[in-house]
């Protein structure tokens, strides 16, 4: 399916609006594809290498298409101390994913975030924004199975 970037027409073609355009693209698709880079470069009158440079500089931009279910594991201080590294290990064992990756079937993607703001409920992860707290291996496996069954 060809991506539609007609929404960029709402943004002035000024090269200074490149970040705003990339944010709009990511908001629409969840990541910035190769096609999006070419389109943004042409639209904002910048070389593709400049667009890639902006994307690689800012951590907010993703180059990998996210899965249907986006898992974000909190690695703030409280979560880290209460088991976030174990959660990553378990997710890797179960899904074969490392942070920044999407499963080949497109169901799950995994990322690490600095904080989800739920320190008293540590360790936590969110799936598409829904927070799951006080995780242990059994609870995490149950959550994964519920999402995979949807």
């Amino acid at each position: 399916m060809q991506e539609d970037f007609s929404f960029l027409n709402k943004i002035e073609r000024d090269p200074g609006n490149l970040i705003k355009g990339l944010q709009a693209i990511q908001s629409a698709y969840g990541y910035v594809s190769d096609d999006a880079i070419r389109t943004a470069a042409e639209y904002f009158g910048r070389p593709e290498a400049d667009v890639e440079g902006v994307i690689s500089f800012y951590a907010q931009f993703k180059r990998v298409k996210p899965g249907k279910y986006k898992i974000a594991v909190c690695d703030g201080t409280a979560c880290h101390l209460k088991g976030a590294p174990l959660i990553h290990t378990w997710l890797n064992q179960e899904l074969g994913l490392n942070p920044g990756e999407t499963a080949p079937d497109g169901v799950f993607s995994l990322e690490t975030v600095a904080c989800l703001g739920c320190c008293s409920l540590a360790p936590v992860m969110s799936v598409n924004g829904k927070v799951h707290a006080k995780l242990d291996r059994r609870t995490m496996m149950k959550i994964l199975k519920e999402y995979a069954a949807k």
Side-chain angles (χ1 to χ4, degrees):
M1 179 180 95
Q2 182 74 21
E3 296 168 322
D4 175 18
F5 300 108
S6 61
F7 54 84
L8 287 177
N9 292 325
K10 297 177 183 174
I11 301 170
E12 187 179 338
R13 287 183 177 258
D14 185 291
N17 285 332
L18 175 61
I19 291 174
K20 187 176 184 178
L22 292 172
Q23 288 169 329
I25 290 167
Q26 182 153 298
S27 179
Y29 293 104
Y31 77 117
V32 181
S33 67
D34 291 342
D35 191 34
I37 288 173
R38 284 188 292 278
T39 300
E42 182 181 315
Y43 187 84
F44 293 105
R46 302 284 296 270
E48 287 181 32
D50 286 359
V51 177
E52 276 282 3
V54 169
I55 291 168
S56 64
F57 181 79
Y58 292 102
Q60 68 177 300
F61 295 117
K62 309 292 184 228
R63 288 287 281 130
V64 177
K65 185 176 182 175
K68 179 179 179 182
Y69 300 111
K70 294 171 272 312
I71 300 170
V73 177
C74 180
D75 198 33
T77 303
C79 287
H80 187 85
L81 293 173
K82 291 193 171 190
L86 279 174
I87 294 169
H88 276 296
T89 298
W90 299 331
L91 287 168
N92 180 271
Q93 290 170 346
E94 182 63 23
L95 302 175
L97 296 178
N98 290 307
E101 296 179 342
T102 298
D105 62 6
V107 176
F108 291 105
S109 58
L110 177 62
E111 68 178 342
T112 302
V113 295
C115 186
L116 287 173
C118 305
C119 300
S120 65
L121 303 173
V124 301
M125 71 178 190
S126 69
V127 181
N128 289 359
K130 181 179 179 189
V131 174
H132 300 276
K134 297 188 178 187
L135 295 172
D136 57 27
R137 185 177 175 89
R138 187 175 44 156
T139 305
M140 188 203 69
M141 295 299 291
K142 181 180 178 210
I143 292 164
L144 289 179
K145 284 183 171 68
E146 287 172 4
Y147 281 101
K150 291 183 181 183

